[in-house]
């Protein structure tokens, strides 16, 4: 009887070891990159309902919609550099051979259409070029409210260094001495969940048939995780 019990124990132990070995063989190279709080500002994005292009770079001839330095000094986050930081982080991920990327919230800064379209364009490029798959969840700076709402930013950099007001609706607010006449475009409003998910649904928000979801992503698998920190 004792021999039988020991034999059963040995068999169970061998099964467990075998399962673990197979598991490690399958998942040892599974790597996921996390890029949190990207706060993308698509500084080269174009408004769909207004010809305003931003300020012109005298060296390159390119136009860019950037925020003033004062706006960044007064904020807990940066704006203009995020465009380059995200692309740099994704290039780093690509160079590491990682194919799965998670953006766990705050991928935009208040969910403006112009920046959401910019994010989709960037992710699509890395999907096409490097075969990356993206998983995205919204944060408090993406869908600020459940539904879209008008918004105004008073601190874009304008002509002669003045502040350029850009608003999704005409405003009767007084214009200060250091400010320019407002640019009105719906691309600066704060999108809600419906609009945001409609824009990005194909790419990131819903299950893809090519991805197996028979088990929870983190259940019983060994994964190496690289945290991409914003510099």
């Amino acid at each position: 009887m004792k021999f039988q019990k020991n034999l059963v124990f040995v068999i169970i132990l061998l099964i467990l070891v075998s399962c673990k070995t197979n598991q490690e063989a399958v998942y040892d190279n599974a790597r996921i990159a996390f890029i949190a709080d990207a706060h993308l500002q698509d500084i080269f994005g174009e408004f769909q309902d207004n010809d305003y292009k931003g300020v012109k770079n005298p060296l390159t001839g390119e136009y860019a919609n950037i925020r003033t330095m004062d706006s960044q000094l007064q904020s807990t986050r940066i704006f203009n550099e995020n465009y380059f930081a995200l692309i740099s982080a994704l290039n780093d991920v690509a160079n590491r051979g990682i194919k799965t990327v998670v953006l766990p919230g705050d991928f935009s800064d208040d969910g403006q259409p112009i920046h959401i379209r910019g994010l989709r364009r960037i992710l699509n490029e890395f999907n096409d070029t490097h075969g990356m798959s993206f998983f995205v969840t919204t944060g408090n700076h993406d869908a600020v409210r459940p539904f879209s709402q008008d918004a105004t930013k008073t601190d874009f950099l304008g002509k002669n260094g003045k502040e350029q007001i850009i608003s999704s609706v005409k405003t009767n607010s007084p214009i200060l001495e250091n400010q320019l006449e407002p640019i009105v475009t719906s691309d600066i409003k704060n999108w809600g969940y419906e609009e945001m998910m409609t824009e990005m649904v194909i790419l990131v928000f819903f299950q893809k048939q090519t991805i197996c979801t028979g088990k929870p992503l983190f259940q019983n698998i060994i994964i190496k995780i690289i945290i991409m920190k914003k510099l």
Side-chain angles (χ1 to χ4, degrees), residues 17-67:
V17 171
S18 175
C19 289
K20 184 176 181 181
T21 302
N22 291 336
Q23 211 170 55
E24 290 179 349
V26 174
Y27 295 108
D28 184 57
N29 292 324
R31 295 183 295 167
I32 301 175
F34 284 75
I35 305 178
D37 295 281
H39 286 276
L40 176 69
Q41 302 268 320
D42 185 8
I43 62 176
F44 298 117
E46 297 181 359
F47 297 127
Q48 292 187 340
D49 56 359
N50 195 298
D51 293 333
Y52 180 73
K53 298 180 180 180
V55 293
K56 185 177 181 179
N57 185 328
L59 298 179
T60 65
E62 289 183 298
Y63 287 85
N65 269 310
I66 59 177
R67 308 283 277 277

Side-chain angles (χ1 to χ4, degrees), residues 174-214:
I175 300 174
L176 303 179
E177 183 179 353
N178 65 328
Q179 293 179 330
L180 300 171
E181 287 287 336
I183 300 297
V184 179
T185 171
S186 61
D187 278 338
I188 209 68
K189 69 167 50 178
N190 297 339
W191 258 354
Y193 286 108
E194 180 180 0
E195 294 83 1
M196 188 176 302
M197 296 181 76
T198 299
E199 179 68 26
M200 301 184 69
V201 60
I202 298 176
L203 185 64
V204 294
F205 273 115
F206 290 100
Q207 175 183 339
K208 303 176 182 65
Q209 293 183 356
T210 56
I211 297 176
C212 176
T213 55

Side-chain angles (χ1 to χ4, degrees), residues 40 42 107-122 141-143 187 191 195-197 199-200 205:
L40 176 69
D42 185 8
F107 49 82
S108 70
D109 199 70
D110 298 340
Q112 295 100 338
I114 188 172
H115 303 316
I116 299 300
R117 291 197 305 267
L119 177 65
R120 177 173 177 173
R121 185 188 71 251
I122 292 171
H141 280 281
D142 299 314
D187 278 338
W191 258 354
E195 294 83 1
M196 188 176 302
M197 296 181 76
E199 179 68 26
M200 301 184 69
F205 273 115

